[in-house]
Amino acid sequence: MLARLRVSLSVSIQTIFFAVALTLAGLLTWYGYQKNIEAALDMAQDLMREVNGAILRDMDAIYAPVRTLGAALPLAPEVAVKPEGTDHPLAGAFLAALDCNEHIYSIFLGWDDGEFYQAIHLRGAVAVRQALRAPPLASYALRHVSPGSYGSTAQSWTFLDARRRPLARRTEPTAFDPRRRPWYKLARPRDELVKTKLYVFASTRDLGTTVARSFAAPVGGVLGIDLTLGGLSRILRGYDLGDGGQVFTFAADGQLTGHREPGRVVRRVTDRQGRPWNLPARIATLDDPVIQGVYDQYASGADMENAITGFDVGGRRFLSMITPLGNVGSHEFVAVVAPQERFVAPLNRVRTNLLLFSLAALLAAMPLIVLVARRIARPLNLMAAEAERIKRFDLDSTLNLRSRIIEVDNLSTSMSRMKGALRSFGQYIPRDLVRRLVESGAEPRLGGDRRELTILFTDIADFTTLSDTMPPEALMTILSNYFSILGGTISGADGTIDKFIGDSVMAFWNAPTRTPDHTALACLAALRGASALADHCVPGPDGCRMLATRFGLHRGEAVVGNIGSSDRLNYTAMGSAVNVAARLEGMNKFYGTTILASQAVADAAGDEFVFRAVDVALPKGALRPVAVCELLGTRPDGAHPELAAPRAALEGLDAWNAAYADYRARRWARAREALLALHAAAPGRLTRLYLERTARALAREPGPDWTGVEEFHFK
């Protein structure tokens, strides 16, 4: 027969070539994507420059006629003429200029003596008509403010229709003084065209800006041209830079002067009289991280000569361009900002398509890859699972694995041999203890730590007599079966078997793994063990013999850990608590009980279990007496009805507790009367013992130093 073909693991590793090919394809795709991104960003810069230039041209279309009017009108001789009512020589020129320039709200003259003349184009603005209280059909408004004597000032209004025919007139007092307005204070000291920041118009309380220039006359003054936010907003609204894109203007001091949404430029407040006012908004109060990011770029000194800068907001990359707004002597800037994905989104789709194509190629080759991967992974997975079972000290299964890969086959053979060795070794040590030590993660070392434990000792009644009647081989078989039953109940209740001592077992709870309810678990183990062994029969020369087992339970502090030498350790518990548990197991014979427990166990076990008081005893070698109880079982209505205490024991429990309390209180006669009734109903070693004690006490009254402690001089 030909030898089984085996190949080296290095040959199987060659199957990863596909992964290498995919990686190379991914790198090439990414490289091409990056180059395309650079080209897209170059196109983005060109587009943003084009948008920026278009905005500047549109802005110039607004301000060009304003500059012309602002330069020509102050030179007209008519500016020196004062109006008569609402008539003025320049009224026609003002109205014609308003007709030709839809962005201009009004044109006015303000003189140094406080007189003021203004022409306003209403253009169907309902809010403006309401603010001026103009008739519904009014298209123009002429306003004349004339300071009077003794500080009184009046203003006259004339409202004209579309054909400039008067519709209504009114005169009213006013506190308006042109000399206190921002445009007057800015323009009067200069001989040049100036532009104000946004401010509140006195006539409408809306925001706007004024282009103004001073003029010389016998009574000098200032000519002004009002511009509203609407015209600028209409221009900016025509440019869409995608979701998150912005086009706006701002002043150097952080004031927002123009936006495609006029409401963003306005900050609405109410004065003390309850009147609403529109104030200029500042970028810092907008709660708009994109606009704030652009202004931060400007404030940081970014290059504004048609340079594109970038910044991040909320994980998104934005590109911005800031350019000075060269209109009429103002320190304003136009900002164009757009999300980077607007330009690179098509490239992202191309990249995704390339990756999907690569994935499709991978899926087409998947059957071959799966076949090769399974050849490599299956034996490794089997050995990993086997190693996990060995870690849990589960040594019962058998690993049958053969592989064509030399290294895997050698590893499988070594693991099987190791498991066989551990299986043989595990017959000499408690597997459950090793498993718990491994799970606890504690490093084996000499020494231990103090810990509250619940300790259990067991012993077979009359085992010496049984051993004398059986050959050693049969006795060993019986004990092995016995220990399997008892050990299963202890391990099933999370107990740790310390050692087997002849026919006895020592076990404890709460080590090496901490268990909060360790006392209850120990009580369950004792009850289950007693129940299981009650039905366990040992054949003998005189028929079937039951292995009656006695249990001792105690809870106390002990030192638990490893003792021995550096090359051989024994995990055990030591201390007076261990000795007390061992003595309690031996006391069962004296009291005629099966499961004897200390009061510490009864207090910690919980309401699930039924105990009856037995005695106060001083075990041999102990320094302090121990209150002793008998564990009768669980409550019938509890979580473990199969371990419930016998009905007869429950029915007589209250009477027993009363008799026991009378005995401890030295009420001998009453205690004896109750004990006689109990013994007559259910004779037992314990009631007989207390009948003897009460008889002695009645015959000879104990002295005042009587404590009722039973002192034991045997184990």
Side-chain angles (χ1 to χ4, degrees):
M1 177 182 283
L2 295 175
R4 188 175 74 252
L5 178 62
R6 298 189 299 172
V7 297
S8 171
L9 181 62
S10 61
V11 175
S12 298
I13 294 177
Q14 295 177 16
T15 56
I16 66 172
F17 77 94
F18 191 78
V20 175
L22 183 61
T23 302
L24 291 176
L27 290 175
L28 291 174
T29 301
W30 184 255
Y31 177 78
Y33 171 74
Q34 289 298 111
K35 290 299 182 182
N36 289 334
I37 286 290
E38 294 177 4
L41 293 180
D42 290 340
M43 293 174 59
Q45 294 188 15
D46 294 340
L47 176 61
M48 293 182 70
R49 289 191 181 96
E50 182 178 343
V51 171
N52 185 74
I55 293 174
L56 292 177
R57 288 191 296 272
D58 290 342
M59 298 285 286
D60 188 67
I62 293 177
Y63 285 104
V66 174
R67 287 195 299 269
T68 301
L69 291 172
L73 288 177
L75 302 179
E78 288 84 357
V79 298
V81 178
K82 294 297 186 67
E84 294 182 5
T86 55
D87 293 330
H88 189 272
L90 290 177
F94 285 178
L95 295 178
L98 292 174
D99 286 338
C100 297
N101 298 277
E102 61 176 350
H103 305 296
I104 299 177
Y105 164 69
S106 74
I107 305 176
F108 55 82
L109 295 168
W111 286 274
D112 293 344
D113 58 2
E115 198 161 357
F116 179 78
Y117 183 79
Q118 182 180 24
I120 302 173
H121 201 315
L122 301 180
R123 286 195 179 87
V126 177
V128 175
R129 284 198 181 89
Q130 292 176 350
L132 301 181
R133 291 179 293 155
L137 298 179
S139 296
Y140 307 93
L142 299 176
R143 179 189 183 196
H144 176 208
V145 176
S146 176
S149 59
Y150 306 106
S152 62
T153 302
Q155 65 178 358
S156 300
W157 289 92
T158 297
F159 297 98
L160 309 178
D161 62 11
R163 296 184 179 182
R164 302 181 186 178
R165 294 176 299 189
L167 291 176
R169 289 187 174 88
R170 74 167 183 269
T171 301
E172 57 194 10
T174 183
F176 179 81
D177 188 339
R179 295 167 295 186
R180 293 199 296 266
R181 303 304 293 164
W183 47 267
Y184 187 92
K185 295 178 180 180
L186 181 65
R188 192 66 184 99
R190 307 179 186 179
D191 186 19
E192 60 181 345
L193 205 62
V194 297
K195 178 175 174 289
T196 67
K197 296 181 180 179
L198 288 177
Y199 72 99
V200 180
F201 288 170
S203 57
T204 62
R205 297 182 186 173
D206 284 333
L207 287 179
T209 184
T210 298
V211 176
R213 184 172 183 177
S214 64
F215 59 83
V219 180
V222 174
L223 178 137
I225 303 172
D226 283 339
L227 301 172
T228 60
L229 292 176
L232 179 58
S233 297
R234 284 192 293 273
I235 291 176
L236 299 181
R237 199 177 298 128
Y239 297 94
D240 183 11
L241 295 177
D243 181 27
Q246 303 265 13
V247 178
F248 59 93
T249 60
F250 65 93
D253 62 355
Q255 184 185 88
L256 191 66
T257 60
H259 196 277
R260 60 185 300 168
E261 300 175 14
R264 301 293 299 275
V265 187
V266 176
R267 180 167 57 93
R268 301 188 184 277
V269 299
T270 304
D271 61 16
R272 295 180 180 178
Q273 287 75 34
R275 295 176 301 178
W277 290 85
N278 295 329
L279 299 181
R282 302 193 66 81
I283 291 176
T285 63
L286 288 178
D287 193 23
D288 189 321
V290 175
I291 294 179
Q292 185 65 51
V294 175
Y295 184 71
D296 290 342
Q297 293 285 314
Y298 164 76
S300 66
D303 183 12
M304 296 183 298
E305 295 299 326
N306 293 332
I308 306 296
T309 58
F311 61 94
D312 297 313
V313 173
R316 299 177 68 188
R317 185 71 175 171
F318 287 85
L319 305 177
S320 65
M321 183 175 181
I322 305 171
T323 307
L325 191 59
N327 41 53
V328 283
S330 63
H331 297 288
E332 291 185 63
F333 304 89
V334 59
V336 179
V337 57
Q340 182 171 295
E341 68 251 22
R342 181 181 186 274
F343 307 102
V344 301
L347 298 178
N348 289 335
R349 289 193 293 270
V350 171
R351 179 190 59 181
T352 302
N353 292 336
L354 288 175
L355 292 177
L356 290 176
F357 177 80
S358 301
L359 181 60
L362 175 63
L363 292 176
M366 189 61 70
L368 177 61
I369 296 176
V370 170
L371 177 63
V372 175
R374 284 181 177 177
R375 286 179 52 199
I376 299 176
R378 182 178 176 277
L380 296 178
N381 289 334
L382 290 175
M383 286 188 291
E386 187 71 7
E388 185 63 28
R389 285 192 289 270
I390 294 175
K391 176 185 174 182
R392 298 194 304 266
F393 223 61
D394 179 7
L395 308 175
D396 297 330
S397 61
T398 302
L399 178 64
N400 295 317
L401 177 63
R402 291 292 181 267
S403 175
R404 295 181 181 275
I405 301 175
I406 297 174
E407 292 84 355
V408 174
D409 191 67
N410 290 340
L411 181 59
S412 173
T413 302
S414 299
M415 185 172 289
S416 297
R417 292 175 180 173
M418 177 185 68
K419 191 171 183 179
L422 288 175
R423 189 183 298 113
S424 300
F425 178 70
Q427 303 301 319
Y428 298 94
I429 58 174
R431 291 189 185 183
D432 190 61
L433 174 60
V434 175
R435 185 181 300 112
R436 290 174 180 271
L437 288 172
V438 171
E439 290 175 352
S440 68
E443 182 180 355
R445 57 181 177 82
L446 289 173
D449 62 307
R450 286 183 174 271
R451 190 177 298 186
E452 193 83 9
L453 301 179
T454 302
I455 306 159
L456 170 69
F457 273 86
T458 72
D459 184 66
I460 300 176
D462 300 324
F463 179 73
T464 302
T465 303
L466 178 66
S467 62
D468 289 341
T469 61
M470 285 190 173
E473 295 83 0
L475 186 63
M476 182 172 291
T477 301
I478 291 172
L479 280 180
S480 297
N481 191 14
Y482 169 82
F483 286 139
S484 295
I485 296 173
L486 191 56
T489 62
I490 294 173
S491 299
D494 293 336
T496 299
I497 298 177
D498 185 309
K499 59 177 72 69
F500 299 112
I501 312 169
D503 62 322
S504 302
V505 176
M506 174 186 172
F508 50 80
W509 279 257
N510 204 34
T513 304
R514 294 187 182 273
T515 310
D517 55 345
H518 55 91
T519 301
L521 291 173
C523 292
L524 288 175
L527 291 172
R528 288 169 179 162
S531 175
L533 293 172
D535 300 329
H536 185 63
C537 175
V538 177
D542 54 352
C544 185
R545 181 179 299 180
M546 309 303 293
L547 292 182
T549 303
R550 304 187 184 103
F551 299 81
L553 281 168
H554 179 56
R555 175 181 172 129
E557 192 176 71
V559 175
V560 61
N562 298 303
I563 65 171
S565 61
S566 59
D567 60 346
R568 183 172 182 177
L569 299 177
N570 181 25
Y571 188 81
T572 187
M574 301 180 65
S576 61
V578 179
N579 297 331
V580 171
R583 300 293 185 267
L584 290 175
E585 180 277 316
M587 292 180 192
N588 281 290
K589 184 176 182 180
F590 177 78
Y591 292 109
T593 54
T594 300
I595 305 175
L596 212 54
S598 64
Q599 187 64 43
V601 171
D603 293 339
D607 297 336
E608 173 74 14
F609 301 93
V610 179
F611 293 87
R612 71 166 175 172
V614 172
D615 205 352
V616 179
L618 182 66
K620 181 181 180 181
L623 300 178
R624 290 186 297 274
V626 179
V628 182
C629 304
E630 181 184 10
L631 175 59
L632 299 176
T634 62
R635 298 192 180 278
D637 56 350
H640 304 281
E642 74 280 2
L643 302 175
R647 181 180 299 275
L650 291 174
E651 291 174 350
L653 185 59
D654 291 338
W656 167 259
N657 289 336
Y660 181 78
D662 288 337
Y663 172 78
R664 287 292 165 193
R666 303 171 68 100
R667 295 188 288 268
W668 320 115
R670 193 162 76 176
R672 182 173 178 78
E673 181 181 353
L675 289 167
L676 286 170
L678 286 169
H679 192 68
R685 167 71 178 144
L686 191 59
T687 54
R688 186 167 60 252
L689 175 64
Y690 274 90
L691 283 172
E692 294 172 358
R693 289 182 178 181
T694 54
R696 288 196 300 269
L698 289 171
R700 183 178 180 180
E701 179 73 23
D705 58 344
W706 178 85
T707 60
V709 176
E710 182 71 23
E711 186 173 349
F712 287 82
H713 300 283
F714 59 87
K715 295 183 180 179

